[in-house]
Amino acid sequence: MSDDQRLRRWRLMLGESAEESTGGLGLPGERRMDAALAALYDSSGPSKGRRRSAGLGASAPSVARWLGDIRTYFPSTVVQVMQKDAIDRLGLAQLLLEPELLDAVEPDVHLVGTLLSLNQVMPEASKATARMVVGKVVREVEERIAQKTKAAVTGALNRTARTSNPKLRDIDWDRTIRANLSHYLPEYRTVVPERLVGYGRKSKSVQRDVVLAIDQSGSMASSVVYASVFGAVLASMQALKTSLVVFDTAVVDLTDKLSDPVDVLFGTQLGGGTDINRAIAYSQSLISRPAESMFVLISDLYEGGIRNEMMRRMAAMKNSGVQVVVLLALSDDGAPSFDHDNAAALSALGIPAFACTPDKFPDLLAVALERGDVSAWADQLTLEQH
């Protein structure tokens, strides 16, 4: 990179206040990029001690032009960050109700969260466009996670269906050797397997019940999007009976909408309070065979209901044989904010509580469905992340 290019990049990063010391910007495209950045991150007009504030104005046409400019001059990953900053910093959420603006945005998970939070006030003219925006993001997430999820779940279920008289192709050699270590012959340095352990053939019946309970408070927006798509993927698998509920201070069962994750997402209502205890109570009513069930609570654990009752219910569910997992977040947003006291109390009950990225969730499902040590898996995940 030449010195001139390096200076121009510093000029774009530092803004107009660095015009003189960096030699300014020469190309028209660079000046349009600078104007787009300044509209979001600088105040209008030069001044000493510049205060970062709104420069887009509050009109839909000016925002639409700005959205067009940033899509022209920046890669999509940068566009998504700038859009999120514009919504968060400049209060532009209401303008997203304009259909022409929805056509101009770069769809991503955070934008979907914003649209869902506006769902109840969205005019009819904007709903069709909003569904297209949400649908595009859902398809992208499905393409990212569906195949891996189905493979992980199918493999886990097949491994749990063992047979003692397997065909050669179905022998699980690792488990067979471990099961026959008492028959080790030192002189031949080998194990004589008296009992074979094999993978069972895929069953057509429902093998596991999975209940997903999703906290729809505003801070969980990204998790709601990912969990809804995962729920739809799991619901498409014949070997699983999947239920999905969302909750704030009320509980809504969206299981009947799982054939279309867009319908699931528009059935949510982001924001409001949280009554985790009520959601757990409802989820308990969906579990009829605890030993074959998995309950996944996705929540930051900020409880507005009865905390002691929440803990009692979680302990009872675990003690009945349900595989219970708590995800403090299911997103790529980094370290989440959560109630540390409640997370620690759950851990003391033997219920793991941790954050998980969408890419790792299929692996978590496989461990849980095989009745593996989820806590150990989570600890290893934390080590890898650091």
Side-chain angles (χ1 to χ4, degrees), residues 74-318:
F74 299 96
S76 61
T77 51
V78 176
V79 170
Q80 291 169 6
V81 172
M82 294 178 72
Q83 285 177 174
K84 184 175 185 300
D85 284 349
I87 294 167
D88 293 344
R89 296 162 59 90
L90 308 183
L92 297 181
Q94 290 296 324
L95 287 177
L96 286 176
L97 301 180
E98 301 285 346
E100 63 269 24
L101 287 188
L102 286 175
D103 282 332
V105 294
E106 186 75 26
D108 73 328
V109 169
H110 296 104
L111 179 64
V112 169
T114 300
L115 291 176
L116 296 179
S117 69
L118 299 170
N119 186 25
Q120 303 302 313
V121 297
M122 189 177 293
E124 288 299 323
S126 300
K127 286 186 176 180
T129 307
R131 284 188 68 88
M132 287 192 295
V133 171
V134 173
K136 181 178 179 180
V137 174
V138 165
R139 288 191 297 274
E140 290 173 352
V141 173
E142 280 183 316
E143 289 172 3
R144 172 181 167 187
I145 59 96
Q147 184 175 356
K148 183 178 179 182
T149 301
K150 290 180 179 179
V153 170
T154 300
L157 293 178
N158 285 344
R159 285 189 292 273
T160 59
R162 304 290 172 184
T163 175
S164 60
N165 188 28
K167 296 179 181 179
L168 180 62
R169 65 183 179 182
D170 294 330
I171 295 175
D172 183 339
W173 289 108
D174 181 61
R175 287 179 180 252
T176 294
I177 291 170
R178 281 188 282 165
N180 291 275
L181 287 176
S182 60
H183 306 298
Y184 178 68
L185 301 178
E187 63 271 27
Y188 295 105
R189 300 179 67 185
T190 190
V191 170
V192 177
E194 291 191 358
R195 181 171 67 88
L196 298 177
V197 180
Y199 301 125
R201 306 312 297 164
K202 185 176 181 180
S203 172
K204 293 184 178 180
S205 62
V206 174
Q207 295 174 256
R208 291 287 189 278
D209 297 342
V210 178
V211 179
L212 301 174
I214 311 171
D215 184 340
Q216 60 179 353
S217 57
S219 60
M220 301 294 293
S222 295
S223 297
V224 170
V225 176
Y226 283 116
S228 298
V229 178
F230 273 113
V233 172
L234 296 177
S236 71
M237 302 184 68
Q238 189 177 26
L240 299 178
K241 177 187 175 185
T242 303
S243 302
L244 185 145
V245 299
V246 297
F247 64 92
D248 41 36
T249 54
V251 180
V252 180
D253 192 326
L254 297 178
T255 304
D256 62 345
K257 297 183 182 295
L258 278 174
S259 60
D260 185 350
V262 177
D263 283 343
V264 172
L265 288 169
F266 276 96
T268 64
Q269 185 175 340
L270 293 177
T274 309
D275 191 337
I276 304 173
N277 177 53
R278 177 176 291 186
I280 297 169
Y282 181 81
S283 298
Q284 282 180 302
S285 72
L286 300 175
I287 297 173
S288 58
R289 45 179 199 162
E292 305 299 330
S293 298
M294 176 181 177
F295 174 59
V296 183
L297 172 65
I298 304 172
S299 173
D300 55 18
L301 297 179
Y302 289 112
E303 172 64 318
I306 307 172
R307 180 186 184 275
N308 290 341
E309 187 72 6
M310 175 185 78
M311 293 297 172
R312 188 191 67 77
R313 289 186 186 280
M314 291 292 272
M317 196 181 294
K318 179 181 182 299

